[in-house]
Amino acid sequence: MAMTCRGILALPYANRLRLVAGASGGGNEIRWVHILEEPKYTAWLKGGELILLSGVVTGDREGALLSLLQDLFDREVAGVVLNLSTFLPAIPPSVLALGDRLGLPLFEMPAEVRMVDVSQSIAFAIFQQRQKTGQVEGALRDLLTGKRLSEKRLQRLAEVGLGGGRTFRAVLFRPGLPGTPLPVTPFYEEETEEAWLAQGAAYLRQVLDRLGDPGYLTVAEETILWLAEDPPGRPAALPQRLEAVTAALPQSAYFPALQVGVGAAFRDFRTCRASVDQARQALAHPQRRGGPVTWYDDLVDRRLFQRGGTREELAAMAERLLGPLLQPEHQALLDTLTCYLDHNGNAKATAQAMFLHPNTLHYRLGKIQTLLHRDLGQSEDFFQVMLGRKLYDFITKN
């Protein structure tokens, strides 16, 4: 679990703090602790910091404090600690109200508590947490990159609760559409695409924390892997969590577009690699309707094709079903058929999608039916043509 604003209240010295506003942001992840006095230096922040503020510069001037808090919120800090002192004897009510409105956690720190003690305590806890989860993330990254899990890493996974007969699924998040570069706008030179994904994973971890999920995540190869528990006796639990997660993610700049692939369920982590591969297949073949999530379990046709014969045998089946349309001179007819099938046989929607005159579409459909000796108005013929198209897609994309 990541260190959060809510979690620091259990740490030495930090347990003297009191959360006085912005409790709805208690799950914000703290990436580091930073002491800030001069408002003009907020541009140096990278997001995720817990800011310690004594009020040396702002004092108790409401306007200055309100302006600074708004700026810190815009910089995506995790929270703010206000040290009560001669400079800031009490936190103005308007400041507390702003913290609640923004969902920005505001902590009150007694004057007798030293900033250095609080910052060291939190920083040490962050370091310990990162060290503790490093092996877990390494093991998950091995799954993404195809490496074999060592017995040591399997043991580490078991120690943090990933095992013990529990059922999980690999869930892969791709923040952008296929072929679309991630919108990296470097703030510092080290802000690489991987760093962007890491920040996206941190945001996802915050969402999962609010849902009470431990958030077993890692980043590799332009995707974020989440090992999600899927309790056998509660089939609706994971779909409901996924619905909540996918509803929250587009609110972040890290997820301008979103695709999610879900692999099959597993219990033994020695076989979890298969679930990761299946989640990748689901990402590569998204459902055309029903939101951004594609379940491998729903790719029934692909699963049948994978087990149904050699590539040559499947190609022969596609050839038998689609025959003449696979010739180069009939590419326009094949594209028309594909669009027609994608729109469930709706001629009006197909014509609109292809920018065709209705008469042109009807002419092409008539020619398709003549070449294939099929009547697309008959359910059996429609199914056979649909099957041929899916077979063709499968053998050309694999």
Side-chain angles (χ1 to χ4, degrees), residues 8 11-15 115-126:
I8 64 172
L11 300 176
Y13 297 106
N15 58 11
M115 279 191 173
V116 65
D117 292 329
V118 172
S119 62
Q120 283 185 346
S121 178
I122 297 172
F124 182 65
I126 292 173

Side-chain angles (χ1 to χ4, degrees), residues 234-241:
R234 297 164 54 202
L238 182 54
Q240 289 173 353
R241 267 186 298 158

Side-chain angles (χ1 to χ4, degrees), residues 2-8 22-31 48-50 73 76-80 102-107 202-203 205-207 209-210:
M3 182 56 60
T4 64
C5 286
R6 191 181 301 114
I8 64 172
S24 62
N28 291 354
E29 180 181 357
I30 299 173
R31 298 173 62 193
E49 296 91 350
L50 178 69
F73 175 78
E76 297 186 346
V77 303
V80 179
L102 298 177
L104 178 65
L106 301 182
F107 296 90
Y203 182 84
R205 189 174 282 111
Q206 292 178 29
V207 173
D209 182 73
R210 290 197 293 269

Side-chain angles (χ1 to χ4, degrees), residues 84-346:
L84 300 185
S85 63
T86 55
F87 305 106
L88 182 62
I91 303 176
S94 60
V95 172
L96 299 177
L98 179 62
D100 283 330
R101 182 169 63 83
L102 298 177
L104 178 65
L106 301 182
F107 296 90
E108 183 182 271
M109 184 168 76
E112 65 271 16
V113 178
R114 300 192 306 173
M115 279 191 173
V116 65
D117 292 329
V118 172
S119 62
Q120 283 185 346
S121 178
I122 297 172
F124 182 65
I126 292 173
F127 174 76
Q128 281 188 312
Q129 185 63 37
R130 288 178 180 175
Q131 189 177 44
K132 179 180 178 182
T133 59
Q135 285 187 319
V136 174
E137 291 187 357
L140 299 184
R141 194 173 295 111
D142 283 353
L143 290 177
L144 273 178
T145 55
K147 296 179 181 177
R148 185 182 65 85
L149 285 181
S150 66
E151 288 299 323
K152 182 178 180 180
R153 287 198 161 169
L154 285 170
Q155 181 181 356
R156 184 59 182 154
L157 290 173
E159 289 173 359
V160 298
L162 288 168
R166 296 160 65 194
T167 302
F168 292 87
R169 289 179 185 263
V171 181
L172 288 180
F173 293 82
R174 178 183 288 151
L177 294 172
T180 303
L182 293 175
V184 180
T185 53
F187 189 77
Y188 288 93
E189 290 183 1
E190 70 270 22
E191 293 277 12
T192 61
E193 186 174 279
E194 185 175 351
W196 179 274
L197 281 169
Q199 292 178 36
Y203 182 84
L204 173 57
R205 189 174 282 111
Q206 292 178 29
V207 173
L208 294 174
D209 182 73
R210 290 197 293 269
L211 297 173
D213 189 281
Y216 300 117
L217 302 173
T218 195
V219 172
E221 298 181 355
E222 299 185 357
T223 55
I224 300 170
L225 169 64
W226 169 36
L227 283 188
E229 187 170 7
D230 186 19
R234 297 164 54 202
L238 182 54
Q240 289 173 353
R241 267 186 298 158
L242 272 171
E243 184 178 356
V245 168
T246 55
L249 290 184
Q251 300 172 21
S252 166
Y254 300 115
F255 294 88
L258 178 65
Q259 286 184 299
V260 184
V262 185
F266 66 91
R267 290 186 180 183
D268 186 349
F269 269 81
R270 292 175 177 81
T271 63
C272 64
R273 175 67 197 175
S275 185
V276 175
D277 291 339
Q278 291 156 1
R280 276 209 180 91
Q281 291 184 49
L283 273 181
H285 301 86
Q287 301 283 12
R288 294 186 174 92
R289 59 185 183 275
V293 180
T294 301
W295 295 71
Y296 175 76
D297 292 354
D298 292 335
L299 301 180
V300 177
D301 51 347
R302 293 190 56 78
R303 295 162 64 192
L304 286 173
F305 297 159
Q306 286 173 336
R307 300 180 184 182
T310 65
R311 179 184 176 86
E312 291 72 21
E313 290 170 335
L314 295 176
M317 294 179 195
E319 171 73 24
R320 184 169 183 82
L321 292 170
L322 296 180
L325 294 188
L326 300 181
Q327 301 302 316
E329 62 268 26
H330 293 314
Q331 183 62 50
L333 294 179
L334 183 62
D335 293 341
T336 301
L337 176 62
T338 298
C339 189
Y340 183 71
L341 296 174
D342 288 346
H343 288 84
N344 301 308
N346 186 319

Side-chain angles (χ1 to χ4, degrees), residues 34-47 49 51 53 57-58 68 71-72 75 77 187-188:
H34 188 68
I35 297 175
L36 180 75
E37 298 298 346
E38 178 54 64
K40 68 181 181 182
Y41 294 136
T42 57
W44 293 5
L45 300 174
K46 300 180 68 175
E49 296 91 350
I51 301 300
L53 183 67
V57 176
T58 62
L68 177 56
D71 191 13
L72 292 173
R75 302 285 179 183
V77 303
F187 189 77
Y188 288 93

